[in-house]
Amino acid sequence: DWLPGGKLADSGCTHHGLPAFVSINTRLGLLRVAGNLPLYTQLLQRFCRSQRDVLPDLAHACEHDYRAQAIRRIHSLRGVAGNIGAETLEKAAEVLEFQLKHAPMLNLQEPRLHAASMRLQDALQAVLLELDQHFSTPAADAETGVRAQ
């Protein structure tokens, strides 16, 4: 339910049939898509497919000293995380992006890069775990009307 000023009313544990995720602010995500649940569900599913390999992609870019590629990959993750309401992941990506831009060498074992990449890994795993659990349940298909691919 919408309130004046374009805000979603608190409907308890779920918003439009979505579970109360710990790592994703579905209220914020739905606001970013103007309450369009099918679109938001598609974004969540696309996130699962497109961001699952971000850490191996980052490691590859760092191993080959592809700074621009590493920064671009994390920047993309940051934007997508923000779009779906994964605020902790978005912040972790922001910190890692900053570290990548300012690190003298692209070595993920360097203490600052290592710490930032571990925070990102933890946040990403939390988001993917919740989404995988949600989309693997038959109830998810019925609630959202969209089947996971």
Side-chain angles (χ1 to χ4, degrees), residues 11-80:
S11 59
C13 294
T14 64
H15 295 287
H16 300 283
L18 291 171
F21 294 117
V22 173
S23 62
I24 302 170
N25 181 340
T26 55
R27 174 182 302 228
L28 179 60
L30 281 166
L31 282 172
R32 295 211 168 126
V33 296
N36 185 332
L37 181 61
L39 174 59
Y40 184 62
T41 302
Q42 288 175 354
L43 289 175
L44 293 173
Q45 291 171 331
R46 193 175 305 141
F47 179 91
C48 288
R49 289 189 307 271
S50 68
Q51 301 306 315
R52 193 168 300 280
D53 294 330
V54 72
L55 294 170
D57 292 350
L58 174 64
H60 178 267
C62 289
E63 286 170 15
H64 293 85
D65 203 28
Y66 299 151
R67 185 179 302 265
Q69 181 181 343
I71 292 168
R72 187 170 43 253
R73 186 65 172 102
I74 299 305
H75 182 79
S76 174
L77 171 63
R78 176 182 168 193
V80 176

Side-chain angles (χ1 to χ4, degrees), residues 30-138:
L30 281 166
L31 282 172
R32 295 211 168 126
V33 296
N36 185 332
L37 181 61
L39 174 59
Y40 184 62
T41 302
Q42 288 175 354
L43 289 175
L44 293 173
Q45 291 171 331
R46 193 175 305 141
F47 179 91
C48 288
R49 289 189 307 271
S50 68
Q51 301 306 315
R52 193 168 300 280
D53 294 330
V54 72
L55 294 170
D57 292 350
L58 174 64
H60 178 267
C62 289
E63 286 170 15
H64 293 85
D65 203 28
Y66 299 151
R67 185 179 302 265
Q69 181 181 343
I71 292 168
R72 187 170 43 253
R73 186 65 172 102
I74 299 305
H75 182 79
S76 174
L77 171 63
R78 176 182 168 193
V80 176
N83 286 341
I84 67 168
E87 297 170 296
T88 300
L89 179 56
E90 179 184 20
K91 182 63 179 170
E94 178 183 354
V95 170
L96 181 55
E97 182 180 356
F98 178 86
Q99 293 298 330
L100 289 167
K101 287 179 180 178
H102 297 91
M105 292 177 41
L106 288 185
N107 179 351
L108 290 177
Q109 297 310 310
E110 187 276 324
R112 283 186 228 141
L113 277 177
H114 182 73
S117 66
M118 290 295 100
R119 280 192 300 275
L120 181 112
Q121 178 180 327
D122 291 345
L124 178 61
Q125 286 177 343
V127 171
L128 289 173
L129 178 65
E130 285 190 298
L131 289 175
D132 287 346
Q133 288 174 347
H134 173 67
F135 288 120
S136 70
T137 63

